[in-house]
Amino acid sequence: QPQLVESGGGLVQPGGSLRLSCAASGFADSGLRLDVYTMSWFRQAPGKEREALSCIRGADIVTNYADSVKGRFTVSRDNAKNTIYLQMNDLKPEDSAVYYCAARWLRCSHYVTDMNYWGEGTLVTVSS
């Protein structure tokens, strides 16, 4: 069964940086080609809807959705390691949320309901 596992969350001070990872597994075992899946990062703060941040298709075709993180967050993908990353710089308290990675076949989308697979999430807390 395809699985996505996020890691790298934690407590960081405002202005700090974190790099989140999302490791994908089980796609080949399920007869699926991971390389045709787009990979996205979403986040959900308490009391708020889950929002799309960025999507990466192929090795380096990126679509950014959230104006609030432009210039601070960067998504990347290492196909050899079946892993995507979210580099987060200049973190702000309002970035505190559970961060999720998700996979969707072929095309990027910012809709939660369009995703085919989800990870369990990793908690990021930005506080002094």
Side-chain angles (χ1 to χ4, degrees):
Q1 186 77 316
Q3 189 176 19
L4 302 175
V5 179
E6 302 93 337
S7 61
L11 175 64
V12 63
Q13 292 188 341
S17 297
L18 279 176
R19 189 177 80 155
L20 306 183
S21 300
C22 171
S25 63
F27 282 76
D29 293 341
S30 300
L32 303 172
R33 286 178 50 192
L34 179 61
D35 62 336
V36 299
Y37 279 80
T38 65
M39 303 296 293
S40 296
W41 285 101
F42 287 74
R43 70 181 179 186
Q44 187 167 20
K48 294 190 176 181
E49 292 187 353
R50 195 169 297 190
E51 66 168 333
L53 301 177
S54 297
C55 176
I56 186 165
R57 180 167 62 91
D60 57 5
I61 302 172
V62 175
T63 303
N64 293 309
Y65 296 114
D67 289 340
S68 60
V69 306
K70 281 181 181 175
R72 299 189 298 123
F73 290 11
T74 303
V75 63
S76 61
R77 182 171 185 164
D78 186 337
N79 284 328
K81 295 182 178 180
N82 293 339
T83 301
I84 66 164
Y85 303 97
L86 185 67
Q87 178 66 44
M88 307 187 295
N89 298 326
D90 189 23
L91 283 159
K92 306 176 188 299
E94 52 265 39
D95 294 319
S96 296
V98 178
Y99 284 72
Y100 298 90
C101 68
R104 181 178 192 246
W105 186 73
L106 202 60
R107 299 186 189 278
C108 284
S109 170
H110 62 281
Y111 294 110
V112 170
T113 52
D114 280 348
M115 299 300 116
N116 301 122
Y117 302 101
W118 287 93
E120 295 284 325
T122 185
L123 178 64
V124 172
T125 303
V126 185
S127 176
S128 55

